[in-house]
Amino acid sequence: LVLDQFTELPQNCSWCDDFYKEVKGLLLSPETKSEQKSFYAEVLAISGRLENIKTLVDAIKGAANSDDADVYAEALELAVGKDDIVKYLGEQIDTGNDTLREASVAAITNQGSRLAVELLHDHTVKRGDPDGYYSVGIGLGEVVPEPDAYPVLQGLVTARDQYSHLATKSLLNAGLDGLKIVVDS
């Protein structure tokens, strides 16, 4: 309930800059306990602000140990935001850092926008992995798409290639409207 209060606060919030600066300081402090770091990281992830997402990505890259990296990555998976955040996370999915890559894919999966669908499909094809992270519960096959992504997904379904099943699953996640598109395709 507390975290819901901090989801995408307005950009013109008079106290937000100072608040997020303090949260970042607490998050990165070596004295902060792991449970508290998790909470602070989630506050940053749900902020809808690109600079806070960048802080989490940098924290994953520079984590002193794998436990801290996991805490930051689990929060990053909850990221919400607009296409600027999706685009930035899309730049992170080709990293050699497995923790960062999977957290970025999970965060993009949760967005459902046209851009998110396109990034996930392109990444899956580039990796040559027909499973597309589906077996771990993320990726294109787990997206609940927004209506603006339907045409892209329909095109992927009708391609009838080794990745089409992921687009079909995504459309089915959209409910009745997606089911109609799948049947039409």
Side-chain angles (χ1 to χ4, degrees):
L1 291 172
V2 172
L3 286 174
D4 286 342
Q5 305 290 324
F6 293 97
T7 303
E8 294 186 277
L9 294 172
Q11 290 294 328
N12 62 354
C13 167
S14 62
W15 51 270
C16 286
D17 290 341
D18 291 336
F19 170 73
Y20 287 124
K21 182 179 178 182
E22 190 168 328
V23 169
K24 288 175 189 177
L26 291 168
L27 173 76
L28 301 173
S29 171
E31 288 86 38
T32 304
K33 295 177 184 170
S34 182
E35 184 178 309
Q36 292 171 321
K37 285 184 181 194
S38 175
F39 183 79
Y40 296 139
E42 288 180 25
V43 168
L44 295 178
I46 63 174
S47 70
R49 295 172 183 243
L50 182 59
E51 64 272 10
N52 292 342
I53 300 302
K54 287 181 177 180
T55 297
L56 288 175
V57 168
D58 291 342
I60 292 169
K61 290 178 180 177
N65 57 60
S66 64
D67 289 339
D68 282 350
D70 289 342
V71 165
Y72 305 141
E74 287 172 13
L76 183 62
E77 292 176 8
L78 303 175
V80 296
K82 298 187 179 17
D83 280 349
D84 60 336
I85 290 176
V86 173
K87 184 179 178 190
Y88 176 72
L89 291 170
E91 295 168 2
Q92 307 308 311
I93 59 178
D94 290 326
T95 182
N97 183 326
D98 292 340
T99 303
L100 177 57
R101 180 179 58 249
E102 286 195 18
S104 297
V105 169
I108 295 169
T109 300
N110 293 331
Q111 305 311 309
S113 68
R114 178 185 184 116
L115 178 60
V117 165
E118 290 169 344
L119 285 171
L120 290 171
H121 177 262
D122 293 347
H123 176 66
T124 300
V125 170
K126 185 176 178 181
R127 285 180 46 121
D129 178 16
D131 179 61
Y133 300 97
Y134 188 73
S135 62
V136 293
I138 58 176
L140 182 59
E142 290 289 337
V143 170
V144 177
E146 296 173 359
D148 71 325
Y150 293 173
V152 173
L153 289 166
Q154 185 173 21
L156 297 173
V157 169
T158 58
R160 290 180 173 74
D161 62 12
Q162 61 185 345
Y163 308 104
S164 294
H165 70 99
L166 297 170
T168 301
K169 291 171 184 169
S170 180
L171 281 168
L172 293 175
N173 292 338
L176 184 58
D177 291 337
L179 177 61
K180 288 177 183 178
I181 294 169
V182 171
V183 170
D184 289 345
S185 300

